[in-house]
Amino acid sequence: CRAWPTLCTATDAGVLKKDFDKSVAVHKVGHALHVLDPVFKAFSNSAKYNAVTSALGYKNPVLPQSMYIFKQPRIGDSAVIHQDSTFLHTIPKCTCLGLWLALEDSTMENGCLWARPGSHKRGVRKLFVRNPDYFEKGDKKAPGIMFENLDVPQDETDGLVVTTAEQGKELGFEPLPVKQGDLVLIHGEVDHFSLKNTSNASRHSYQLHLVEGPSEGVSWSKRNWLQYSDGKSFPPLAPETA
């Protein structure tokens, strides 16, 4: 796991600026809390998560990624318009599901989620992959990871930083404010984003991403940016030993 600073609190070199305290500088911690931390591991493998995913038809889901997002008061970073399956891709079909748990009230003021209704029906448009020039050909001057457009109609709003609620609505998105303890399920191909937190309240959330497991004929793409070291497999959701 590693921690990412809120953008405005650090220099380009990743050094904390003197004007900011460490306690409010952290934006995100990830991506293996569900593997490395006993508390998060137990929580991530809860029977409630298993019941929800089973009801949605998942047979053998595995957990490639987990994140704790702090969304700090007044400075919490926005999330650009994106599809989760861009970053967590499976073949022969996309099976990514986001489990977004509100640890505090998520409001219009502190940067709640926004989603574009019906966008999940359009399919994934691009992938975030390992660059073969870097990983296979050994060109260390090449970027290690990159976006690759698929041969489908693209959307000019991909990667866009939305700055106002009015702009989000004009682009066809709707806000999803939720209360503390609510769980938002995010289809891997739905367009979503969040605005910057300019309020005095933080917006903590815990996010798990799962995909269907290999026993169901689904494979994790070997081109995905995220790969466990030494060929390790992703842990299953609610394993028998948990």
Side-chain angles (χ1 to χ4, degrees), residues 123-139:
V124 66
R125 298 181 293 271
K126 61 180 58 179
L127 303 178
F128 194 53
V129 298
R130 293 192 171 200
N131 185 355
D133 288 344
Y134 181 93
F135 284 96
E136 298 172 16
K137 298 179 181 180
D139 183 0

Side-chain angles (χ1 to χ4, degrees), residues 7 41 57-58 65 72 119 135-136 168 174 184 213 230 241:
L7 291 177
K41 181 177 182 179
Y58 283 87
Q65 178 177 272
Q72 304 285 5
S119 58
F135 284 96
E136 298 172 16
E174 295 182 5
V184 181
D230 302 323
T241 55

Side-chain angles (χ1 to χ4, degrees), residues 213-232:
S215 67
E216 299 305 309
V218 174
S219 299
W220 180 254
S221 174
K222 294 182 179 180
R223 303 185 63 220
N224 279 331
W225 70 277
L226 177 63
Q227 304 288 339
Y228 278 15
S229 60
D230 302 323
K232 293 180 180 178

